[in-house]
Amino acid sequence: MKRIALGLQYDGSSWQGWQTQPHGQTVQDVLEKALAEFAQRPMATTCAGRTDAGVHALAQVVHVDTEAVRE
């Protein structure tokens, strides 16, 4: 299994924070959807911290563990 670390930067103005919410558009939801599309399998992220709605991030660290292989 490989661990991939990502450094994220985003303007949080249009987001409802980092963490998945039942009725909101969050950075985590959109990132995991994009990663799953890329890897062609579900990808769960682990974040070193989180932001609230409307808060920006400059160097947020996230990782994913995966067995996916891209050729």
Side-chain angles (χ1 to χ4, degrees), residues 30-53:
V30 174
L31 176 61
E32 287 182 356
K33 181 179 177 185
L35 289 170
E37 188 173 318
F38 177 78
Q40 299 177 346
R41 65 187 69 198
M43 302 282 288
T45 58
T46 302
C47 187
R50 65 179 210 196
T51 57
D52 291 327

Side-chain angles (χ1 to χ4, degrees), residues 2-36:
K2 295 179 184 176
R3 176 163 287 174
I4 301 170
L6 306 171
L8 304 182
Q9 178 176 331
Y10 53 86
D11 179 331
S13 299
S14 61
W15 301 101
Q16 294 186 8
W18 162 261
Q19 193 170 7
T20 298
Q21 299 290 323
H23 302 292
Q25 181 182 8
T26 69
V27 179
Q28 184 178 23
D29 290 331
V30 174
L31 176 61
E32 287 182 356
K33 181 179 177 185
L35 289 170

